Amino acid sequence: MLYEFESTLFQVEHLEKFPSIEEQPFLYKYRARTLLQQLLQKTQDPLQQAIIHYQLGVNFLDCEENGESRKNMAKSLQLFSQIADIENYLTYIQSIYNHLGFLAVNLDDNETGLAILAKAERLGEYLIAKGDFEKRAFKIQGGFEKAQEFYTITLFYIAQAYTKLGIKDKAAYYCGQTMLRQFKSKTYELRDLVINCISLSEYYSGIWNFAQAFYLLLVGEAVIPEGKRKKLRATLQMAQGKIIGDMMAYCVDCIKSNQQNDQSLPKLFNKYSITFDSVNVKQLVFQPCKTFDEIKSLFRQSNTLYKKAMSIFVLDGFVTEHIQMLSEISNMYKVIMSLETDPNNVIAYLEKRLDLLLPVFNAINPKAYQNTYEKLLVEIAEINNELYEFIVKFNEIDDFQGGKSKKLTEKMNKSCLNTIQYYEKIIEQLKLLEEKQRDSAYYSSITTAYFNIAKAQSKYFSKDKKIKVTYLVNSLNQYKQLVQFINQQNQQNEFQAVLQMCKEMIQILPSKIDRINYM
């Protein structure tokens, strides 16, 4: 019986290595399962039964039959518990705990899954310590290498469970430990390791450990062979640009709140939780920015990294990635603009944002890239709105005077017209939504669009009284239509402030129109 048992397991292993057939993806696994089930009927040996049920559990899981997998794994665990020399088969127990924990997490029973995986973790630590201490070949099934492999899987599953629970610090810790073990044992796929470096760096950037975040991206870059995997390297450069941009934004916030000299910032920025000793990447030290010039230096560094990535992720072929980076650069201009004291530079920053976004907005197909198109549309409308409002204030434009600078007044008028144009496009897009899709976000967006159109129409300047009055009348009618819309949609409670401003403008504008007419 022992010979038949071992030869059958050999056949099963051979069958399960066969490549799947598209029409029947589990054909060979089903054949392997049949052999296991037949073997189970023939043996009365508890150890052989335990191993067969374990193999069936793996087989059912591979065939996406999770319920049957769980039953067989549980039966295998029960049978193994009856074995006298269980020490020789602890790697089976380790793997069973992994499978049962994974299956529980897969059912969103994360707490149960974590409890089972904690057993696998303790068992893995025991086996590894035992192997390290004894300095000799393992007597257990699969040996020391198998215990190491299963322990890495345990850590990976625990990371997944904590991720699903939203416990980010523990998820990051176990993800990092998994990566370290995979790297040390050279059992990683290059792309998976790089993507994990990016994901983990995003977590550390989110808790302001910027040096750790950037270090992980450099590790990802270091393991890519020179001159190979250009898109993967560009993905890392894109992520590096984002980390530097995030650090810049955080430093700007510190300067604005007068916390740039906080002694805890260097420690926060340079806290390390994970390092790859065998990779030739030095631990970085990032100093918090204290001046506007240092902020602009970070901007240039981030911008350079994005441009490198965009040289690979060109618009023709990589629309999403290319526009995402342009939007990030646009946002960086918005961030540093908050520290700018020169009004002309503020205007220049706003215009640079438009120069970045308008060409790609006009180039992409709105139907093929609907979400990207709509995001760009909103951002471009908002930038134009901000641009004309700033010029009105800076250039001291009123209804009767064209401001200190004729050139700026012309620029303001252009931005007013663009604001009206792009917000009208937003309204067109919103009106396409079905009634059931009109949620609070819809009402907020369409109300903002109507209001900003009315405001822009009232600010348009012209020395020609008829033109000026026409825009003011259009503005008045727009405010009236907005009040009517809010009342018709029963949104009065949500937009009380907007209603109040509209009613004030409805009272003010007629007298303003009269004054201009009688000038």
Side-chain angles (χ1 to χ4, degrees):
M1 185 63 207
L2 179 59
Y3 172 78
E4 184 178 356
F5 173 77
E6 291 179 343
S7 63
T8 301
L9 290 187
F10 178 81
Q11 292 177 60
V12 166
E13 183 181 1
H14 182 66
L15 279 170
E16 294 196 334
K17 287 180 179 177
F18 274 38
S20 60
I21 304 171
E22 187 174 349
E23 298 79 12
Q24 296 177 282
F26 302 133
L27 174 64
Y28 295 111
K29 292 189 182 297
Y30 289 152
R31 290 179 180 177
R33 182 189 300 175
T34 300
L35 290 176
L36 289 168
Q37 289 171 333
Q38 291 172 348
L39 183 62
L40 185 62
Q41 298 300 316
K42 297 178 181 179
T43 181
Q44 298 299 316
D45 183 278
L47 176 58
Q48 292 181 2
Q49 290 177 338
I51 294 172
I52 294 168
H53 276 292
Y54 168 80
Q55 296 286 0
L56 282 168
V58 173
N59 181 282
F60 278 111
L61 185 61
D62 289 343
C63 296
E64 302 175 6
E65 298 175 56
N66 293 357
E68 289 300 315
S69 176
R70 189 180 303 104
K71 289 178 186 177
N72 279 278
M73 286 295 179
K75 181 64 176 177
S76 178
L77 186 62
Q78 177 191 349
L79 289 164
F80 270 121
S81 67
Q82 301 171 16
I83 306 301
D85 55 345
I86 188 64
E87 279 280 326
N88 291 333
Y89 302 96
L90 287 179
T91 48
Y92 277 110
I93 307 299
Q94 191 184 8
S95 183
I96 290 169
Y97 283 150
N98 278 346
H99 281 83
L100 291 174
F102 168 81
L103 288 165
V105 170
N106 197 51
L107 286 173
D108 292 329
D109 188 359
N110 296 303
E111 292 183 2
T112 299
L114 279 170
I116 297 171
L117 290 169
K119 294 180 180 180
E121 184 181 17
R122 290 192 296 271
L123 181 54
E125 289 169 351
Y126 165 77
L127 291 173
I128 290 169
K130 179 182 174 72
D132 285 343
F133 178 75
E134 294 185 359
K135 303 291 183 183
R136 58 184 173 81
F138 251 20
K139 296 296 185 183
I140 63 174
Q141 190 72 23
F144 184 59
E145 291 75 17
K146 187 60 70 174
Q148 292 272 21
E149 176 190 337
F150 288 158
Y151 182 62
T152 302
I153 293 171
T154 300
L155 299 181
F156 175 71
Y157 288 162
I158 293 174
Q160 286 186 316
Y162 279 125
T163 299
K164 292 183 74 173
L165 285 170
I167 306 176
K168 294 182 180 180
D169 56 339
K170 289 190 175 181
Y173 170 78
Y174 280 99
C175 178
Q177 293 303 307
T178 302
M179 290 168 60
L180 284 171
R181 292 183 59 80
Q182 288 175 332
F183 189 81
K184 185 178 180 180
S185 62
K186 295 182 172 56
T187 55
Y188 62 87
E189 292 290 334
L190 179 59
R191 187 180 186 281
D192 290 343
L193 180 70
V194 170
I195 296 303
N196 286 334
C197 283
I198 293 172
S199 297
L200 200 54
S201 75
E202 289 172 356
Y203 165 74
Y204 284 113
S205 178
I207 59 172
W208 311 301
N209 298 159
F210 297 114
Q212 172 72 91
F214 204 84
Y215 169 85
L216 286 165
L217 298 177
L218 292 178
V219 168
E221 201 167 10
V223 299
I224 299 176
E226 190 67 32
K228 304 290 185 180
R229 308 296 290 270
K230 291 183 179 180
K231 285 191 288 186
L232 199 57
R233 192 180 296 277
T235 303
L236 282 163
Q237 291 166 342
M238 181 177 174
Q240 289 168 0
K242 182 71 166 63
I243 298 299
I244 299 297
D246 288 347
M247 184 168 69
M248 184 197 78
Y250 186 81
C251 289
V252 167
D253 287 341
C254 289
I255 292 172
K256 288 164 67 176
S257 59
N258 201 29
Q259 295 178 3
Q260 67 270 28
N261 294 311
D262 189 330
Q263 297 300 310
S264 67
L265 289 181
K267 184 177 180 181
L268 178 66
F269 280 22
N270 296 292
K271 180 181 178 182
Y272 277 86
S273 303
I274 174 175
T275 56
F276 290 74
D277 296 333
S278 56
V279 181
N280 187 26
V281 175
K282 293 181 179 179
Q283 293 187 26
L284 305 173
V285 177
F286 284 166
Q287 295 300 331
C289 296
K290 298 180 180 181
T291 67
F292 192 25
D293 284 341
E294 290 174 348
I295 292 293
K296 288 189 281 189
S297 175
L298 284 183
F299 175 92
R300 289 191 292 270
Q301 292 174 49
S302 179
N303 193 36
T304 298
L305 288 163
Y306 278 130
K307 285 183 176 179
K308 285 182 179 179
M310 282 191 288
S311 69
I312 301 299
F313 291 129
V314 295
L315 183 63
D316 185 12
F318 300 96
V319 171
T320 303
E321 293 87 349
H322 192 89
I323 292 179
Q324 182 183 341
M325 285 185 276
L326 290 177
S327 294
E328 292 289 353
I329 296 170
S330 170
N331 187 63
M332 287 197 300
Y333 275 119
K334 182 179 180 180
V335 169
I336 64 172
M337 194 177 73
S338 64
L339 294 180
E340 183 58 71
T341 56
D342 185 336
N344 289 305
N345 286 342
V346 172
I347 293 169
Y349 286 147
L350 289 166
E351 290 178 327
K352 284 179 181 178
R353 294 180 66 193
L354 290 173
D355 290 342
L356 281 170
L357 302 178
L358 273 171
V360 293
F361 174 75
N362 292 325
I364 64 172
N365 185 328
K367 292 183 179 179
Y369 299 97
Q370 184 178 351
N371 289 338
T372 301
Y373 176 85
E374 290 174 356
K375 287 178 182 177
L376 282 174
L377 175 59
V378 171
E379 189 170 358
I380 290 169
E382 289 174 346
I383 295 170
N384 276 292
N385 190 66
E386 188 175 357
L387 179 56
Y388 92 75
E389 285 185 336
F390 184 82
I391 296 175
V392 167
K393 182 179 178 181
F394 168 57
N395 201 35
E396 299 177 5
I397 300 172
D398 59 28
D399 295 318
F400 307 100
Q401 301 296 324
K404 296 180 292 184
S405 165
K406 181 181 178 181
K407 184 178 179 180
L408 281 179
T409 300
E410 291 173 353
K411 192 172 288 189
M412 184 275 294
N413 275 345
K414 181 181 177 182
S415 297
C416 274
L417 294 177
N418 286 336
T419 297
I420 294 166
Q421 174 191 346
Y422 289 113
Y423 275 114
E424 284 177 345
K425 286 180 180 289
I426 290 173
I427 291 170
E428 289 174 14
Q429 293 286 321
L430 290 168
K431 284 183 176 180
L432 295 175
L433 293 175
E434 297 178 8
E435 190 70 34
K436 61 183 179 182
Q437 295 175 287
R438 298 182 178 183
D439 55 11
S440 59
Y442 161 82
Y443 287 111
S444 177
S445 297
I446 200 165
T447 299
T448 299
Y450 278 130
F451 186 81
N452 285 341
I453 290 171
K455 190 170 59 170
Q457 288 171 328
S458 72
K459 297 298 181 182
Y460 186 86
F461 178 80
S462 177
K463 290 183 178 180
D464 187 316
K465 289 196 299 184
K466 288 183 178 180
I467 295 175
K468 179 63 180 174
V469 167
T470 298
Y471 274 97
L472 289 174
V473 169
N474 288 340
S475 175
L476 176 61
N477 291 334
Q478 189 79 33
Y479 281 121
K480 288 178 178 178
Q481 288 175 14
L482 180 53
V483 170
Q484 185 180 20
F485 173 79
I486 292 172
N487 289 330
Q488 285 178 345
Q489 301 298 320
N490 296 317
Q491 297 292 313
Q492 296 92 333
N493 292 335
E494 287 74 13
F495 299 102
Q496 291 180 12
V498 174
L499 278 173
Q500 182 62 34
M501 287 187 285
C502 287
K503 289 175 182 178
E504 289 173 2
M505 294 305 298
I506 290 169
Q507 289 180 338
I508 292 170
L509 284 173
S511 59
K512 186 180 287 190
I513 292 168
D514 289 341
R515 283 202 310 273
I516 294 173
N517 275 325
Y518 290 109
M519 281 178 60

